[in-house]
Amino acid sequence: MDQKIIQIHDKKFEPFIKFAEIDKAVAKIADRMNEDLHDKKPLFLAILNGSFMFASDLFHKIDFPCEITFVKLASYSGTKSTETVRQLIGIDEDIVGRNVVIIEDIIDSGLTMERVLAQLKMIGAADIKIATLLFKPNSFKGKYPIDYVGLEIGDDFIVGYGLDYDKHGRNFKDIYKIVES
Ligand code: 5GP
Ligand code: MG
């Protein structure tokens, strides 16, 4: 039996999406981008850490002139509110007037992306497109369009292909879903 359950810290995860299916979804996004963006000289902006594998595999399949850079979201608590502020750090390219394509691993509630969008608009990006490998439509509360979605999934917590559970599990080639106990 190759339905292998894996253990990360205190949780068990079961096989959910095989790499072959992930690869097909990435290829579909790349095909669309190769049509839509071939004359836009976009700047791909991958959000670390989770999106590094998706960004790499996607970038391999892009055949037009473009740039890529990597940013992180630093979480810190505001001095007055208990709400966590997530600020983009590491933008060293001049994104003013650029066609930016955000590369994200997963969009859940959509709040993180909303913050990223607001910051990129403030800095002065000309056009912003969003690409996410995974999308949880039942949880999404955003009001903005997501231009490129690899796979829609349910609300379950997943790991693998770059995504972690408490820093572990990013190295799995396939995606695994949590086994509720
Ligand atoms: P959102 O702000 O859209 O609710 O959440 C986005 C972030 O939450 C993602 O970038 C990711 O870090 C994390 N996240 C949401 N769902 C999952 C999941 O199923 N697995 C993992 N590993 N992270 C998730
Ligand atoms: Mg992420």
Side-chain angles (χ1 to χ4, degrees):
M1 209 171 96
D2 75 338
Q3 291 292 82
K4 206 165 98 249
I5 302 274
I6 57 166
Q7 173 104 25
I8 303 174
H9 304 304
D10 57 330
K11 304 257 188 278
K12 288 186 165 55
F13 295 84
E14 63 187 13
F16 182 42
I17 308 169
K18 284 258 183 234
F19 176 74
E21 197 184 334
I22 299 169
D23 195 48
K24 259 191 231 160
V26 175
K28 256 172 80 178
I29 293 179
D31 287 349
R32 285 186 49 216
M33 287 181 171
N34 286 334
E35 290 264 316
D36 300 346
L37 306 172
H38 62 92
D39 57 352
K40 303 268 190 265
K41 292 198 174 64
L43 171 63
F44 287 92
L45 198 82
I47 316 270
L48 295 173
N49 293 326
S51 76
F52 76 97
M53 254 188 220
F54 171 44
S56 172
D57 286 347
L58 178 69
F59 209 57
H60 273 115
K61 300 182 200 301
I62 296 297
D63 63 11
F64 52 81
C66 60
E67 294 169 44
I68 188 166
T69 192
F70 299 84
V71 295
K72 255 195 151 164
L73 283 163
S75 298
Y76 60 90
S77 298
T79 46
K80 285 189 183 142
S81 87
T82 51
E83 194 193 345
T84 304
V85 181
R86 308 205 78 197
Q87 193 184 348
L88 269 181
I89 54 168
I91 298 190
D92 52 6
E93 253 77 3
D94 188 6
I95 71 157
V96 177
R98 294 296 301 270
N99 295 307
V100 175
V101 183
I102 303 169
I103 305 182
E104 182 59 298
D105 51 358
I106 186 163
I107 296 180
D108 186 354
S109 71
L111 213 73
T112 305
M113 185 56 70
E114 202 169 288
R115 301 258 160 86
V116 171
L117 280 172
Q119 289 173 60
L120 291 179
K121 280 180 190 155
M122 204 173 67
I123 298 165
D127 185 68
I128 306 168
K129 301 243 180 297
I130 301 172
T132 188
L133 176 65
L134 301 157
F135 178 48
K136 294 181 172 173
N138 301 332
S139 314
F140 187 63
K141 293 185 185 64
K143 300 268 189 293
Y144 50 85
I146 303 176
D147 306 278
Y148 303 95
V149 173
L151 298 160
E152 292 195 356
I153 59 170
D155 296 340
D156 306 294
F157 188 81
I158 55 152
V159 294
Y161 195 72
L163 289 107
D164 72 311
Y165 167 51
D166 194 15
K167 302 191 171 68
H168 283 247
R170 295 193 197 274
N171 53 312
F172 292 108
K173 191 171 179 181
D174 302 327
I175 290 174
Y176 292 75
K177 161 168 112 172
I178 198 158
V179 179
E180 302 293 352
S181 50

